[in-house]
Amino acid sequence: MLYTFWEDFFYYIEHEGFIRIINLFWYYFYIEAPRFLVFDLIILGVVLFTSRRKQKVYERARYELLAENPLVSVIVPGKNEGKHIYKLVKGLREQTYTNLEFIIVDDGSDDDTYIICRNLIENGMIDMYLRNEERGGKASAANLALRYARGKFVVHVDADTSFDRDAIERLLIPFYVEDNVGGVGGNVKVRNYNDSILTSLQAIEYLQTISVGRMVTSYLGIYKIISGAFGAFRKDVLDRLGGWDIGPGLDGDITMKMRKLGYKIRFEPKAVSLTNVPTNLKALSNQRLRWSKSLVRFRMRKHSDVFVPQANFNFSNFFAIFDNIFYNFILDMTWWFYLINLIINNIDFLMFIIPLKFLIYTTAGYIQFFVSMALSERRSQEWKLFIFVPLMTLYTGYYMRVIRTMAYFKEIFWRSSYYDAWNPEKTSRKAMEIGI
Amino acid sequence: MAGAIITKLPNNYNREVGYISHYHELDIRQLALYDGLILDYTDQQGCVNLLRQCRSSFIGTLYLLPIFIYSIDKNIDPIAESLSDGVVSSLQVEGVIGKIDKIRNKQVNLAAIDSVSPDIRIMTKVLRFLYTRETRLTPVVNPNSNIGYFYPILSEHYKNGDLSELFKILDDGIQKEYLRPRFVDRLHLCSNCYSGFINFRETCPKCNSADLVTENLIHHFVCAYVGPEHDFHSGDYLVCPKCNRMLRHIGVDYDKPSIIYNCRNCSHIFQEPVMEAFCFNCQKKNPVEALIDKQIYSYELTPIGEETAINGFGREIREEFELPGFITFTTFNIFLKYEVERAKNSGRISSAGSLILSMSDEDRNRMGPGYRKLAGEIADFIKNATFSTDILSFVNNNTYLIISPDSEPTRLQNLLENIRQSVHKLLLSNLVGYSFNLVPKVVTISSDKNHSDLINQLITP
Ligand SMILES: [Zn+2]
Ligand SMILES: [Zn+2]
Ligand SMILES: [Zn+2]
């Protein structure tokens, strides 16, 4: 029985021929592979060949940074993060870069944040603790910190994030490598990758989309999202922008606003932070629904002007958003047609097509995984994730697509992000009123 | 200036009532000869000084002396008024004689007290003042006192420096149930000097400076900008510095989520200033939570307090122990009073008696806890030998008291003698090396007797 299956399987492939197979899976070979697989390989090549020259520039920039030793404001806006704050502050005080001021903004917490922060202030472990009795939303909390920050640079961190000892130092170096850098995104990896299969899958996803994916977009000049978990900004540029706007998706929004002003945005893979990801499907789905809604709300609505040829039209901004919208939104919609089409036209051969598809994606997944390992600074721990790579087909190929599609429909037709409890009602109402 | 003259005010009440208008070189000892005084308020200072001198004396005839203030139009200093027995607007003795009589009649009941402890002497003064006046001890607002209040009689004995002692004696009065408190005010006092003259101020948690400026924070909902109010000032309007929109309606397009403090000394930014309580009196900087929280009460004399006012604390300062079947001394007093009243109304005769267990202090100390056992055994004897209608009490750890209603003194005399002999026979053999005596006393309760005289006879060895 099994023997006959494989016999038939290879017969099917032989019979169809290489070109027909590629055409059958056109979606992957013409659209996905060039964007993800090919660029991953290119970036690996670039990194390997230019590493020595880059190293010199990098060392000089580091020297400049340490010679100037500017004050850096680390801001932590958040609600009910009491359980993370002590560990966060303790960790941040271990940084190799030491000219830091710590500002915690408590956005209407009802846990023990207040007691913990009072204690930290009394012991001189943080410099400022600001509190809104009533929640104003994450953007307003970050803006409050920004208003009173004194540093030349502002490092935005999430309370549940932890950092390599040299993370902040490395995050600041790109400002000294090139002129006109407005913001630098740090690398975000998964701390709890061992918790469940779901967290392991997210760890692989983060490696591919953040660690490697952002090296690619940064290299192409279309890097567009400095993660709120760990990113650095020039304080004067943030002031010019008036800080953050109402979220969700405020990380991507502020980055886009900087790009529009003509500032470069860079990704620094060696500035590593670790974060805990959702451990169950429900929490993960909620998180991703929120992220995907922000694509519609911010890229397609608020920043739709990048598509309009006008005075400050800029190709890299155009591509940054186009890439984002095309590969997430448009292809997501067309994928369903592709899938239905594939099934209907090859209904008799599904028994062959399904394993074949799986095989192709898994092979590609392994190639991407090995690229990310080659580029990773902690591959000795991460390589063990390779056993989960085959499951990634299900995770990114199906689960994530379903979630994204749901989010897009909800946001396009019902503007559901405005009703998300993530923002306080008073601000969402206003944002909706004026359409941002 | 003319020397002091005390004018005797003529009256038909057989009372010596003096009037004083010139206070210069007045010797207060001669005042003890009067039944009451009226002080002219024209020389306010002299009048107040004399009042204070009298009330701060430890001589009963002076501090309990009925004193009135004579003034026609002037407002009387509330402290002076609280020390006096009232303000009169005529020099007619008729106006004051009622009060003088009342005080004098009560004063007659007071037993002599010979304590040397200042606390006891002061407490006695307070209790007796309240008892003779049938009044409450009511604090009067006094800006010159560190605690802001003046207690008539009592406050005269405590300078601003030892106000903690004043509270101690009042608390002691509550605890011993002489006084019953009623809430008047709540004070926050310096932990160092008990002063209430305190400046509460907000200080910088970093450098302790009080040089702070505060401002409201404004949150503009639409653009998420948050900053201090001055960021938004634009002429008479509030305009958002980020998005240039005008702020129109609090709660709708913006709100003020909190207040921000800016330290002008070290430029620290914060929202939680440290509250500090600076004492003007001793200049100590107190943390607010270290301040002493004190209640100010007015005080009413309890029946125990009244009893103590009359009889003093005597020897009962020593630890008192109770015996089953024996009522407290206070209750005994009430029964005795009741018996005297009954005798007055019915004309019947009852008798009361005591057995005083006398033993040298040396023997008693040597005996230790055995003394208490001995007292208990004697009590059992007494209980078995008396009628159930007899009222028994035990006081001063050595005196057994008994009221025998409707019985002749001779019968009680015989009874007590019998008890004395039995106790000697039965107990002395067990107490080799110790010597003790049981002394019986009997008094007749009749209509012409005063109950406190009776008590004094019974408990004096
Ligand atoms: Zn605004
Ligand atoms: Zn200060
Ligand atoms: Zn003081």
Side-chain angles (χ1 to χ4, degrees), chain A residues 131 143 147 244-245 426, chain B residues 224 231 242 255 267 271-272:
Chain A
R131 172 176 168 82
N143 285 339
R147 176 60 183 74
W244 287 264
D245 292 352
K426 59 183 179 185
Chain B
D231 285 4
K242 175 175 173 181
D255 67 0
S267 63
Q271 285 172 306
E272 286 276 320

Side-chain angles (χ1 to χ4, degrees), chain A residues 66-340:
Chain A
L66 298 182
E68 188 191 325
N69 195 34
L71 177 66
V72 174
S73 306
V74 179
I75 66 172
V76 192
K79 185 192 176 191
N80 289 344
E81 303 280 10
K83 57 185 180 295
H84 301 301
I85 281 175
Y86 188 73
K87 239 162 60 184
L88 173 81
V89 171
K90 267 237 145 168
L92 282 169
R93 294 178 65 86
E94 292 287 301
Q95 285 292 310
T96 53
Y97 192 82
T98 52
N99 194 15
L100 302 171
E101 66 165 0
F102 298 104
I103 305 175
I104 294 179
V105 180
D106 173 353
D107 194 21
S109 296
D110 44 25
D111 64 349
D112 50 4
T113 302
Y114 171 78
I115 300 162
I116 291 165
C117 290
R118 282 269 329 227
N119 187 270
L120 290 172
I121 275 274
E122 272 159 25
N123 292 309
M125 287 177 72
I126 58 176
D127 298 274
M128 240 181 262
Y129 167 66
L130 304 172
R131 172 176 168 82
N132 286 333
E133 280 300 327
E134 197 190 326
R135 191 162 74 105
K138 191 150 190 181
S140 71
N143 285 339
L144 178 56
L146 174 65
R147 176 60 183 74
Y148 291 106
R150 288 165 211 185
K152 182 180 179 187
F153 300 103
V154 171
V155 173
H156 182 294
V157 305
D158 280 349
D160 60 348
T161 312
S162 59
F163 304 90
D164 280 3
R165 286 194 71 234
D166 57 359
I168 289 182
E169 182 182 325
R170 286 182 181 276
L171 191 68
L172 296 170
I173 289 172
F175 289 108
Y176 292 82
V177 170
E178 290 170 88
D179 286 338
N180 223 23
V181 173
V184 179
N187 204 345
V188 182
K189 299 194 171 199
V190 175
R191 192 192 308 126
N192 59 338
Y193 64 90
N194 257 336
D195 276 9
S196 66
I197 293 179
L198 203 59
T199 62
S200 298
L201 293 176
Q202 288 176 81
I204 298 173
E205 181 197 15
Y206 273 56
L207 279 172
Q208 288 174 356
T209 62
I210 296 181
S211 300
V212 180
R214 288 179 183 174
M215 279 172 89
V216 172
T217 51
S218 184
Y219 176 73
L220 294 174
I222 58 169
Y223 171 46
K224 72 215 167 292
I225 180 159
I226 292 178
S227 154
F230 189 38
F233 304 90
R234 253 169 61 183
K235 166 83 161 45
D236 60 330
V237 178
L238 284 176
D239 285 341
R240 244 183 98 184
L241 293 170
W244 287 264
D245 292 352
I246 297 176
L250 54 143
D251 317 340
D253 182 62
I254 190 102
T255 320
M256 204 58 225
K257 291 205 300 179
M258 281 194 170
R259 294 186 60 106
K260 281 184 181 174
L261 282 182
Y263 291 100
K264 293 176 195 156
I265 306 296
R266 290 292 174 255
F267 176 70
E268 181 46 66
K270 280 179 274 190
V272 179
S273 64
L274 301 178
T275 190
N276 280 342
V277 294
T279 49
N280 63 63
L281 210 56
K282 188 164 180 276
L284 178 64
S285 302
N286 281 336
Q287 182 198 52
R288 296 312 168 93
L289 278 171
R290 198 174 66 236
W291 289 2
S292 296
K293 283 175 195 168
S294 72
L295 176 91
V296 175
R297 180 160 162 188
F298 290 95
R299 306 243 180 264
M300 288 171 58
R301 289 210 186 105
K302 190 173 172 188
H303 294 295
S304 57
D305 57 338
V306 298
F307 299 113
V308 183
Q310 50 171 344
N312 58 356
F313 180 82
N314 171 304
F315 265 106
S316 68
N317 286 347
F318 173 83
F319 280 117
I321 290 207
F322 177 79
D323 170 66
N324 196 213
I325 294 178
F326 185 74
Y327 277 93
N328 285 297
F329 184 73
I330 299 180
L331 289 189
D332 209 68
M333 297 300 160
T334 51
W335 180 81
W336 292 97
F337 293 106
Y338 159 73
L339 189 69
I340 293 162

